[in-house]
């Protein structure tokens, strides 16, 4: 039971991550490989605040979102002056710089030793250290973020973002500030990424830089692309699929070491197929097949 | 753009195939005894590194000759400048793209062999080297073969100066700070596009 709850919590965290990336990648078309970096900023901010300064989770999470958003804002001012492939490589650079900071700033982050002993979350004096209560908390965050992102996508601003992802010159010609909208969507997406970071830090109670590598960014991006750009439900389903896949393989009798590699091989293959057929996510891939 | 994402997917697949078949542990090709190396101008350089320098210069010159004097090389440059016009003139752009991909991968494999002989190898060691290559390529200028040397020299020098004056652990960060500074100075890259337009 604990095991199932653990998987559900992981699914909730990856849903938050992929849906927040979906705001910039899915709606605005800004493919970003820096998401694990912002996830890491969220985790490290709350971890440092709670272990060294005794801040509670509820104060840490808005601060984490603010710091992550501020970093993303500064970064996007530079990165968003480039387009397409250059933008992707720029975000990759940002991811590696953020990882270097987490891995090498010994005074601030304790480098590869990580930060242990992050306290569990208290909610009105009630400790949320059991798995079921933590799951409830993460699910409520998923519900809030999902609701907010749905409303953003339906608002005029969301429609502008979708227009930008389709044609930037046309959006600019009807008087939309493309550069500004891109900055806002990138910053918002990084702010939402700080939420699962903070939850992760308090859930595992120990963080180190290896959770926030380039590979993690690639995994989050694959979830978004496999689930379909701009499709929030798709992100949730793809995230659940990729989390449960190695567990399913393990039940089929595959050893642990091979199951992890198989998961990466499978999502790599799906990623290549989805990108090369030009379909928007796996759902479209299958629906096109059944139509023929 | 879709090729970039697909190639990242391919990278994930290949890297995991390697670690499935050969294991995750560090492997060593160089079976020679560890030697001090040859002293040239006060610096110690191992024989493998000398061979690497020689071989990469040779490959660089031969690729340049190939691109500028053979028919296939000329078609590659033609496809790079205008694929549609090439198709009209009977050069299949898809075929040429496949050939370039093959040549590029072969060159990458040579680089892999030399760096594996120089240090040692784990399934993931290619990714970082590739990223340094991408940075050198962008700084040197996409599509310009001679300036690549300047880009690579700049990146490598900056990395080693950073290792000497700051710390070896900041090499990656310094490389990417150079890239981001370069892109903020010249944000158009070399495609000359500032905004995305729908491809018809």
């Amino acid at each position: 039971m604990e095991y199932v709850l653990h998987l559900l919590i992981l699914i909730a965290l990856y849903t938050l991550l992929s849906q927040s990336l979906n705001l910039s990648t899915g709606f605005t078309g800004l493919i970003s490989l820096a998401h694990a970096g912002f996830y890491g900023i969220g985790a490290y901010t709350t971890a440092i605040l709670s272990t060294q300064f005794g801040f509670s989770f509820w104060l840490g999470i808005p601060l984490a979102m603010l710091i992550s958003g501020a970093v993303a804002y500064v970064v996007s001012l530079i990165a968003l002056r480039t387009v397409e492939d250059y933008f992707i490589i720029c975000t990759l650079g940002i991811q590696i710089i953020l990882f270097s900071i987490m891995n090498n700033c010994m005074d601030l982050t304790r480098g590869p030793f990580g930060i242990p002993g992050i306290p569990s979350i208290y909610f009105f004096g009630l400790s949320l250290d059991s798995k079921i209560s933590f799951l409830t908390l993460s699910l409520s965050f998923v519900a809030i973020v999902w609701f907010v992102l749905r409303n953003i996508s339906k608002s005029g601003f969301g429609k502008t973002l979708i227009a930008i992802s389709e044609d930037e010159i046309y959006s600019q010609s009807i008087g939309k500030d493309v550069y500004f909208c891109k900055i806002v969507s990138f910053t918002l997406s990084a702010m939402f990424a700080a939420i699962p970071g903070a939850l992760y830090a308090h859930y595992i109670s120990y963080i180190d830089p290896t959770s926030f590598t380039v590979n993690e960014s690639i995994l989050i991006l694959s979830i978004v692309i496999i689930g379909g750009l701009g499709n929030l439900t798709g992100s949730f389903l793809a995230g659940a699929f990729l989390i449960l896949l190695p567990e399913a393989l393990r039940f089929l009798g595959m050893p642990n070491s091979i199951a992890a590699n198989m998961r990466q091989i499978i999502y790599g293959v799906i990623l290549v197929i989805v990108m090369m057929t030009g379909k928007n996510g796996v759902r479209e891939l299958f629906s096109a097949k059944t139509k023929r | 753009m879709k090729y970039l994402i697909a190639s990242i997917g391919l990278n994930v697949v290949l890297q995991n195939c390697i670690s499935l078949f050969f294991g995750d542990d560090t492997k060593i090709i160089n079976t020679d005894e560890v030697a001090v190396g040859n002293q040239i101008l006060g610096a110690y350089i191992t024989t493998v590194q000398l061979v690497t320098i020689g071989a990469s210069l040779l490959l660089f010159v031969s690729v340049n000759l190939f691109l500028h004097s053979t028919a296939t090389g000329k078609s590659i440059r033609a496809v790079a400048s205008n694929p549609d016009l090439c198709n009209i003139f009977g050069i299949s752009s898809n075929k040429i793209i496949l050939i370039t991909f093959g040549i590029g991968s072969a060159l990458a494999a040579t680089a892999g062999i030399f760096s594996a002989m120089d240090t040692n190898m784990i399934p993931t060691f290619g990714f970082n080297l590739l990223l340094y290559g991408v940075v050198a390529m962008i700084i040197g200028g996409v599509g310009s073969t001679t300036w690549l040397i300047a880009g690579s020299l700049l990146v490598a020098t900056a990395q080693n100066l950073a290792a000497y004056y700051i710390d070896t652990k900041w090499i990656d960060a310094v490389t990417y700070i150079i890239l981001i500074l370069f892109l903020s100075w010249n944000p158009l890259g070399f495609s000359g596009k500032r905004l995305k337009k729908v491809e018809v």
Side-chain angles (χ1 to χ4, degrees):
Chain A
M1 194 59 205
E2 289 282 291
Y3 168 70
V4 176
L5 287 175
H6 173 73
L7 289 180
L8 288 175
I9 291 172
L10 281 186
I11 291 173
L13 291 181
Y14 275 93
T15 307
L16 284 169
L17 275 174
S18 49
Q19 291 192 340
S20 59
L21 182 61
N22 219 332
L23 179 65
S24 67
T25 299
F27 294 127
T28 329
L30 303 169
I31 292 185
S32 160
L33 280 174
H35 218 58
F38 297 120
Y39 173 46
I41 290 180
Y44 268 97
T45 309
T46 48
I48 291 168
L49 286 177
S50 61
T51 51
Q52 293 184 6
F53 302 99
F55 276 48
S56 83
F57 171 78
W58 304 103
L59 205 57
I61 210 165
L63 282 172
M65 286 175 74
L66 272 181
I67 290 175
S68 180
V71 172
Y73 175 72
V74 173
V75 152
S76 62
L77 286 180
I78 302 169
L80 283 173
R81 294 172 63 191
T82 59
V83 292
E84 294 190 345
D85 290 357
Y86 289 94
F87 178 75
I88 303 178
I89 292 168
C90 232
T91 55
L92 187 62
I94 293 157
Q95 160 69 40
I96 286 174
I97 292 171
L98 288 175
F99 176 77
S100 294
I101 292 172
M102 286 182 235
N103 204 20
N104 298 332
C105 270
M106 295 298 285
D107 305 330
L108 188 67
T109 61
R110 287 174 36 86
F113 301 119
I115 300 178
I118 302 161
S120 55
I121 302 169
Y122 284 88
F123 184 63
F124 290 117
L126 207 70
S127 168
L128 298 182
D129 52 2
S130 76
K131 284 217 162 55
I132 185 91
S133 55
F134 195 88
L135 179 64
T136 324
L137 178 75
S138 354
L139 284 181
S140 37
F141 272 107
V142 171
I144 296 169
V145 169
W146 200 325
F147 178 74
V148 170
L149 288 178
R150 234 178 91 89
N151 278 331
I152 288 179
S153 70
K154 285 186 175 170
S155 68
F157 177 66
K159 301 275 186 241
T160 313
L161 295 185
I162 295 170
I164 289 172
S165 77
E166 283 168 2
D167 194 332
E168 289 180 6
I169 293 176
Y170 181 70
S171 325
Q172 203 162 41
S173 71
I174 54 172
K176 303 292 178 192
D177 191 340
V178 169
Y179 185 56
F180 176 75
C181 287
K182 280 172 158 182
I183 288 178
V184 171
S185 96
F186 192 77
T187 311
L188 275 180
S189 143
M191 285 173 81
F192 284 123
I195 298 175
L199 286 170
Y200 176 80
H202 284 271
Y203 172 57
I204 306 284
S205 84
Y206 166 78
I207 51 170
D208 69 342
T210 54
S211 316
F212 313 110
T213 55
V214 181
N215 286 331
E216 192 70 15
S217 276
I218 296 176
L219 173 64
I220 302 168
L221 182 64
S222 321
I223 293 177
V224 171
I225 289 175
I226 291 170
L229 297 177
N231 184 345
L232 295 175
T233 326
S235 295
F236 163 70
L237 291 175
F241 170 68
L242 285 181
I243 298 296
L244 295 177
L245 186 62
E247 315 300 330
L249 291 175
R250 210 171 295 159
F251 273 115
L252 290 177
M254 230 178 238
N256 207 351
S257 55
I258 297 183
N261 282 328
M262 277 314 286
R263 169 174 84 154
Q264 297 200 307
I265 290 176
I266 289 172
Y267 83 67
V269 168
I270 301 177
L271 193 62
V272 172
I273 294 173
V274 167
M275 285 321 285
M276 294 323 289
T277 49
K279 294 283 193 294
N280 186 12
V282 167
R283 204 181 56 171
E284 216 166 274
L285 203 67
F286 284 113
S287 63
K289 262 183 192 164
T290 45
K291 263 180 204 166
R292 270 177 206 169
Chain B
M1 190 161 73
K2 70 177 188 184
Y3 293 108
L4 187 65
I5 304 296
S7 67
I8 289 174
L10 197 59
N11 167 59
V12 171
V13 173
L14 290 179
Q15 191 175 302
N16 282 288
C17 284
I18 291 174
S19 60
L20 261 186
F21 292 121
F22 300 102
D24 280 325
D25 50 332
T26 309
K27 296 259 193 310
I28 301 161
I29 323 182
N30 202 349
T31 49
D32 292 350
E33 284 177 31
V34 177
V36 181
N38 316 311
Q39 196 175 7
I40 295 172
L41 300 173
Y44 289 100
I45 299 177
T46 60
T47 318
V48 172
Q49 285 167 340
L50 280 177
V51 174
T52 312
I53 295 172
S56 45
L57 277 178
L58 188 71
L59 280 175
F60 180 77
V61 171
S62 46
V63 166
N64 258 334
L65 279 178
F66 171 74
L67 282 179
H68 287 92
S69 48
T70 63
T72 325
K74 281 177 184 163
S75 335
I76 288 175
R77 292 194 298 141
V79 169
S81 73
N82 194 335
D84 293 334
L85 199 59
C86 286
N87 285 335
I88 293 170
F89 276 100
I91 303 170
S92 162
S93 61
N94 278 336
K95 194 179 138 197
I96 295 295
I97 287 171
L98 282 178
I99 291 174
T100 29
F101 194 73
I103 295 172
S105 310
L107 289 174
T110 348
I113 294 169
F114 282 123
S115 54
M117 302 234 329
D118 187 27
T119 53
N120 41 37
M121 50 184 176
I122 52 171
T124 53
F125 92 120
F127 197 64
N128 262 337
L129 287 173
L130 166 79
L131 294 178
Y132 300 153
V134 169
V135 175
M137 180 189 79
I138 291 177
I139 291 176
V142 175
S144 131
T145 39
T146 32
W147 281 99
L148 275 181
I149 290 196
S152 317
L153 272 179
L154 183 73
V155 170
T157 315
Q159 283 182 342
N160 285 297
L161 286 180
Y164 187 75
Y165 285 108
I166 315 171
D167 203 333
T168 42
K169 60 191 184 184
W170 292 106
I171 283 183
D172 287 1
V174 166
T175 314
Y176 280 97
I177 287 169
I178 292 173
L179 175 73
I180 288 171
L181 288 179
F182 178 80
L183 282 179
S184 63
W185 166 64
N186 189 356
L188 303 182
F190 291 88
S191 62
K193 278 192 286 187
R194 184 177 285 264
L195 295 168
K196 251 189 313 196
K197 187 85 182 91
V198 172
E199 285 175 18
V200 185

